C-alpha cells in the first residue's frame, strides 16, 4: 500500500501507529491485503517486498518467490518493484462460494537465509452475479374451475453474491388473473406463491405467460427473470358456437338433388371430446323441411333431398343444433334461411270473365266485353306479364290494374258485315326464354234492327192471263232483311189504294208470311189491262222498319172474244155487204172489203179472212187473207152469174180460234150501169192495189232486216244466260209469239226463239207472250211473269216488242 505524507502532528501520530502495526505484523510473519473480485489484470494489490521488509535488490539473489495453495496464478509479484498485482481473473464465488469470508493465502519464501512469510489477500465481493432461477420456464397447470384466491407455489431465484448483493426482491408482470405473494420468513427462506385473482377461462385465455423478475440489492442492481407459463386446464363449460347465429342461402329451384346448400362449421373452444361436434336438425324443425333437406352430422353439409319448387315453397327456415361430446353435452344453435330463387318454369295463366256477351252492334265505344286477369307463379321478371290482342279487331285491351285488363270496344260494330269475332289474348312473361299462354274469346255480335227489308228490285212486272180462277197465285215477292232473328222476320202487306171505284184489296191479296200475291177474282184484259200497286215488307223489330216494292200486273189477253163484223158504212147495221160490180173490170180489181174487229188483242185479235167455197164452180173472186179485200181473180165474162153470193169466214188466231161469217152480195152489171161512185171506187181500188204491192215489197225487206237483228240478239243473250251461274233454276225452252196489232188492221210477226222460263212450282212451260201497242216500256232488269206465277221474263222481250212495235207503226203510217 502506498501512503502519501501530508498533514500535521496528528498525521504523524497516525503514521507512527501504522508503522508500529506493520512491524508487529512483520514480526508475526503475516501480511493482509484486500482486492475486489473481477479486478483487471495488473491491478495493484500491495508492495509486498516492502511490507515484508525486503530490499528490492535482494529479491532476485535470495530467490524471492510466492506460492499459493492451489491459486498461484491469480496473484503475481513484480520482482523489479516488489509489487503484488492481479495476474488473472479472480472470482470470489468460484473461490469461496457463498462463504462470507473469502481470501487467498500466499506463502512468500526467500532464501539466504530462508524465510517464510504468510500473506492473506481478502477477496471483496462485488455485485457481479444476477439472480438466477433454477429453470428457464416454470409451468403451472390451473383448471378453469379453480376458485379465486387459489395459490400455486413458485421456485425463487438464487444469487451467487453475498451480503446485500444477494438480497433479492421479486415482482410479477401484471395480470388480471394472477398476482405474486412472497412470504419472507427470512432472507434465506422466501416462499413465492402465485395467487389466482379471479377465475380463468380456458376458452378466453388458454395460456397465461407471466414474467417473474428477481432483483438483488447490489449497486448497480442486477436482475434475473423466469417465464411462468400458466396453462388453463379445460372443463366442458362451453357449448359449440357458429360464426353466425343466422345464415342466409340462395339457391335456384332447379338445383339437382344432392346439391350442397351450405356447409356449417361450429367451433367449441373446449378441448378433447369436449370440442367434438355433431350436427343435427332441431327438434322443432317441421317434417316438410326434413323431407326436403338432409344434414351430414360430421361435416355439417346441408344437401337437397327432394326437388325444390319456388311456386310451392320459396323460403325455408331451418334450425340446426351443434352438440359436443362432453359430460354433460352442450349444444349450440343457428338458423339457416334458405331462399329458393325462381326460374322461368311456369307459363302465365289467363282468367277470363265475360261481361257483355253477345255484344249489341250499337254498343257504345268503351263497352267492356270481358275482364281478364293474368298471373304467373314465377316472380320478378319471370312473373312480369304483358298482354296483347290478335288479330286486328274492333277491340282493345285496357290495363285497369297490375295484371288486370279489360277487353273493351274500340270501334263501331256491324253485325251484317261481321257477325262474330274470335280474338286471341296472348300473355307473355319477361323470362328468358319467355313463356306465353293464350286464351280465345268468341265475341258474338247481337243484332239490332238497323236494316229495313230490301227487295231485289224496286219494281216487278207480272203478266197474268185473264179469266184466271179466283185465288190464283200470280207472283211471290221476297224481301231480304240482313238483320237476324225477329229483326229479320219479314211480313208482307198491300199498300191499300183505290183502283177505279174499287179497293185494291178486292183485286189482289198478299200472304203476310210467304209474300205470295193472289188474284182474288178473275181478271178481264178488256176491262183492266194494267194493275199497278205496292207491297210493303216490314220486319218484326222494335221499332219495325219497312220498304215497298211496286208490282205492275199486266193482264194478258185470252181468246175469249169472237171477231165482230163491222157494217159496210159508218153507222150502218147488218152483216151482209152488197156491191155492184162492172163486168168490165179486170183481174185483181177490188170489188168489196169485209171489215171485222176482235175485242181481244195480239194473236187473239189478229184476223184472217177466208172465202168459203159456194158450190162446185170456181169463183172469180178472192179475199185478201189479212185485208178482207175481195178482188177479182180474172176478168169477168158473160158466163158468170149476175148475182154472186160470197161467204167470207173471219177468224182470229187464238187457241182455239173463234170465227164469224160475213155474206157479201155482188151484182154484176154492165159498165154503163155502174154508178159513178162505183167507177171512182174501182179506179181508187186499182190505185190502192198498186200501192199495196209496192208497200208489201218494202214491208218484206223491213221484216227480214228486223228479224235478222232480233235473231242475233236472242242467240247472243241465250248464250250468255246459259253460260251464267246455274243458280237460276231449271229452265226449259219456250216458243212465245210476239204479236203487235193496230187499229187499222192486223199484222203478224212471229219470231221463234228460246226463252228461259224459271219456275219454283212446276216444270218449265211454254207460254204465249203478247204485246199490245199500248204496252208500257218494261224497266231494265224487271221480271215479267205470265201464266206461271213464278215465271220470269228478261229484258230481251222488251227488245223484241220494240222491234215489232216499230214495224207496226211503220205499216200503219204506210
Amino acid at each position: 500500500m502506498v501512503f502519501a505524507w501530508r498533514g500535521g502532528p496528528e498525521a504523524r501520530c497516525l503514521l507512527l501507529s501504522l508503522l508500529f502495526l506493520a512491524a508487529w505484523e512483520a514480526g508475526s510473519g503475516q501480511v493482509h491485503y484486500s482486492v475486489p473480485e473481477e479486478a483487471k489484470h495488473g491491478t495493484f494489490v500491495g508492495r509486498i517486498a516492502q511490507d515484508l521488509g525486503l530490499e528490492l535488490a535482494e529479491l532476485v539473489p535470495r530467490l524471492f518467490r510466492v506460492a499459493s495453495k492451489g491459486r498461484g496464478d491469480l496473484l503475481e509479484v513484480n520482482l523489479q518493484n516488489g509489487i503484488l498485482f492481479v495476474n488473472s481473473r479472480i472470482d470470489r464465488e468460484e473461490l469461496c462460494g457463498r462463504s462470507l469470508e473469502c481470501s487467498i493465502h500466499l506463502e512468500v519464501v526467500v532464501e539466504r537465509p530462508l524465510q517464510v512469510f504468510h500473506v492473506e489477500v481478502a477477496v471483496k465481493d462485488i455485485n457481479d452475479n444476477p439472480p438466477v432461477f433454477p429453470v428457464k420456464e416454470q409451468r403451472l397447470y390451473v383448471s378453469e374451475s379453480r376458485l379465486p384466491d387459489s395459490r400455486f407455489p413458485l421456485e425463487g431465484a438464487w444469487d451467487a453474491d453475498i451480503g446485500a448483493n444477494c438480497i433479492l426482491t421479486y415482482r410479477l408482470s401484471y395480470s388480471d388473473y394472477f398476482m405474486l405473494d412472497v412470504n419472507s420468513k427470512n432472507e434465506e427462506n422466501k416462499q413465492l406463491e402465485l395467487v389466482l385473482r379471479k377465475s380463468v377461462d380456458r376458452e378466453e385465455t388458454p395460456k397465461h405467460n407471466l414474467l417473474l423478475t428477481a432483483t438483488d440489492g447490489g449497486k448497480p442492481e442486477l436482475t434475473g427473470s423466469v417465464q411462468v407459463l400458466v396453462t388453463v386446464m379445460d372443463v366442458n363449460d362451453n357449448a359449440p358456437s357458429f360464426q353466425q347465429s343466422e345464415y342466409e342461402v340462395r339457391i335456384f329451384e332447379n338445383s339437382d338433388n344432392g346439391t350442397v346448400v351450405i356447409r356449417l362449421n361450429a367451433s367449441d373452444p373446449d378441448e378433447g371430446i369436449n370440442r367434438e361436434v355433431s350436427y343435427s336438425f332441431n327438434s322443432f324443425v317441421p317434417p316438410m323441411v326434413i323431407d326436403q333437406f338432409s344434414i351430414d352430422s360430421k361435416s355439417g353439409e346441408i344437401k337437397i333431398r327432394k326437388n325444390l319448387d319456388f311456386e310451392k315453397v320459396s323460403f325455408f327456415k331451418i334450425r340446426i343444433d351443434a352438440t359436443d361430446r362432453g359430460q354433460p353435452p352442450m349444444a349450440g344453435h343457428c338458423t339457416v334461411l334458405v331462399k329458393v330463387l325462381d326460374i322461368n318454369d311456369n307459363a302465365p295463366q289467363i282468367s277470363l270473365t265475360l261481361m257483355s256477351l253477345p255484344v249489341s252492334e250499337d254498343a257504345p265505344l268503351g263497352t267492356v266485353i270481358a275482364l281478364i286477369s293474368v298471373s304467373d307463379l314465377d316472380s320478378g321478371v319471370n312473373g312480369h306479364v304483358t298482354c296483347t290482342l290478335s288479330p286486328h279487331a274492333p277491340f282493345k285491351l285496357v290495363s285497369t290494374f297490375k295484371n288486370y285488363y279489360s277487353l273493351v270496344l274500340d270501334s263501331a260494330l256491324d253485325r251484317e258485315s261481321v257477325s262474330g269475332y274470335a280474338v286471341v289474348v296472348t300473355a307473355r312473361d319477361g323470362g328468358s326464354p319467355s313463356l306465353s299462354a293464350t286464351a280465345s274469346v268468341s265475341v258474338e255480335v247481337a243484332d239490332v234492327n238497323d236494316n229495313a227489308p230490301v227487295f231485289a228490285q224496286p219494281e216487278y212486272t207480272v203478266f197474268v192471263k185473264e179469266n184466271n180462277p179466283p185465288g190464283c197465285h200470280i207472283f211471290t215477292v221476297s224481301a231480304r232483311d240482313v238483320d237476324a232473328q225477329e229483326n229479320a222476320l219479314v211480313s208482307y202487306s198491300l199498300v191499300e189504294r183505290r183502283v177505279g171505284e174499287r179497293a185494291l184489296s178486292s183485286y189482289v191479296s198478299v200472304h203476310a208470311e210467304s209474300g205470295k200475291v193472289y188474284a182474288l177474282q178473275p181478271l178481264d184484259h178488256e176491262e183492266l189491262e194494267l194493275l199497278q200497286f205496292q207491297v210493303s215488307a216490314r220486319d218484326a223489330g222494335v221499332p219495325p222498319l219497312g220498304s215497298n216494292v211496286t208490282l205492275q200486273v199486266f193482264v194478258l189477253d185470252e181468246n175469249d172474244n169472237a171477231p165482230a163484223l163491222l157494217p159496210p158504212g159508218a153507222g150502218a147495221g147488218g152483216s151482209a155487204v152488197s156491191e155492184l160490180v162492172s163486168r168490165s173490170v179486170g183481174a185483181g180489181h177490188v170489188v168489196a172489203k169485209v171489215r171485222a174487229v176482235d175485242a181481244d188483242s195480239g194473236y187473239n185479235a189478229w184476223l184472217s179472212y177466208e172465202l168459203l167455197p159456194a158450190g162446185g164452180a170456181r169463183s172469180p173472186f178472192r179475199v185478201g187473207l189479212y185485208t178482207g179485200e175481195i178482188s177479182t181473180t180474172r176478168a169477168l165474162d158473160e158466163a158468170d152469174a149476175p148475182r154472186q153470193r160470197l161467204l167470207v169466214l173471219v177468224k182470229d188466231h187464238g187457241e182455239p180460234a173463234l170465227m164469224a161469217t160475213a155474206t157479201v152480195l155482188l151484182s154484176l152489171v154492165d159498165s154503163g150501169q155502174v154508178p159513178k161512185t162505183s167507177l171512182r171506187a174501182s179506179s181508187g181500188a186499182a190505185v190502192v192495189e198498186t200501192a199495196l204491192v209496192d208497200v208489201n215489197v218494202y214491208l218484206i225487206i223491213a221484216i227480214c232486216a228486223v228479224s235478222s237483228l232480233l235473231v242475233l240478239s236472242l242467240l247472243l243473250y241465250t248464250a250468255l244466260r246459259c253460260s251464267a251461274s246455274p243458280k237460276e233454276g231449271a229452265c226449259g225452252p219456250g216458243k212465245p209469239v210476239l204479236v203487235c196489232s193496230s187499229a187499222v188492221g192486223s199484222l203478224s210477226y212471229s219470231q221463234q226463239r228460246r226463252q228461259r222460263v224459271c219456275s219454283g212450282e212446276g216444270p218449265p212451260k211454254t207460254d204465249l207472250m203478247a204485246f199490245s201497242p199500248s204496252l208500257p216500256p218494261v224497266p231494265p232488269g224487271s221480271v215479267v211473269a205470265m201464266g206461271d206465277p213464278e215465271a220470269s221474263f228478261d229484258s230481251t222481250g222488251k227488245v223484241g216488242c220494240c222491234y215489232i212495235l216499230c214495224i207496226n207503226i211503220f205499216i200503219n203510217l204506210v
Side-chain angles (χ1 to χ4, degrees), residues 21 128 256 268 282 594:
L21 178 61
D128 61 343
D256 297 331
D268 191 324
N282 188 274
V594 177

Side-chain angles (χ1 to χ4, degrees), residues 674-720:
V674 177
K676 292 183 180 181
T677 57
S678 298
L679 292 176
R680 287 194 300 267
S682 298
S683 61
V687 173
V688 169
E689 183 177 0
T690 303
L692 286 175
V693 172
D694 294 336
V695 169
N696 287 338
V697 173
Y698 293 119
L699 180 61
I700 292 172
I701 294 174
I703 290 175
C704 291
V706 172
S707 298
S708 300
L709 292 175
L710 181 60
V711 168
L712 290 175
S713 301
L714 293 177
L715 290 177
L716 179 60
Y717 180 76
T718 303
L720 294 175

Side-chain angles (χ1 to χ4, degrees), residues 407-574:
L407 179 64
V408 300
L409 185 62
D410 189 39
S411 59
L413 298 175
D414 185 4
R415 191 205 64 83
E416 290 71 36
S417 300
V418 182
S419 61
Y421 298 88
V423 295
V424 177
V425 179
T426 302
R428 185 177 299 276
D429 62 27
S432 180
S434 62
L435 301 177
S436 63
T438 59
S440 297
V441 181
S442 296
V443 181
E444 179 184 355
V445 181
D447 184 55
V448 295
N449 194 27
D450 58 346
N451 291 278
V454 177
F455 292 94
Q457 299 177 198
E459 184 178 284
Y460 292 94
T461 300
V462 182
F463 294 90
V464 180
K465 294 180 181 179
E466 64 177 336
N467 301 322
N468 57 284
C472 173
H473 173 216
I474 62 175
F475 192 68
T476 300
V477 293
S478 178
R480 179 174 178 267
D481 195 320
V482 293
D483 292 326
Q485 298 176 357
E486 65 274 2
N487 296 329
L489 187 62
V490 180
S491 61
Y492 304 91
S493 63
L494 288 175
V495 178
E496 189 62 68
R497 72 177 184 88
R498 304 291 295 181
V499 181
E501 296 181 356
R502 299 171 60 184
L504 174 65
S505 57
S506 64
Y507 286 95
V508 292
S509 68
V510 60
H511 192 276
E513 296 180 0
S514 64
K516 291 183 177 182
V517 180
Y518 298 94
L520 299 180
Q521 63 181 11
L523 301 177
D524 188 355
H525 172 77
E526 289 74 30
E527 178 186 346
L528 182 66
E529 291 187 4
L530 173 63
L531 179 61
Q532 182 171 327
F533 59 93
Q534 286 187 329
V535 176
S536 174
R538 287 191 173 275
D539 56 30
V542 178
L545 301 177
S547 62
N548 297 338
V549 66
T550 300
L551 266 68
Q552 291 184 341
V553 179
F554 287 93
V555 182
L556 299 181
D557 184 49
E558 286 283 317
N559 194 26
D560 58 347
N561 291 282
L565 297 175
L566 295 178

Side-chain angles (χ1 to χ4, degrees), residues 325-364:
R325 297 177 60 188
Q327 292 299 327
M330 302 189 74
H333 312 281
C334 76
T335 301
V336 178
L337 304 179
V338 180
K339 292 187 177 180
V340 182
L341 299 180
D342 182 47
I343 63 170
N344 195 26
D345 59 345
N346 291 278
Q349 296 177 349
I350 303 176
S351 176
L352 289 175
T353 302
L354 302 180
M355 300 295 293
S356 305
L357 290 182
V359 182
S360 178
E361 62 178 323
D362 62 347

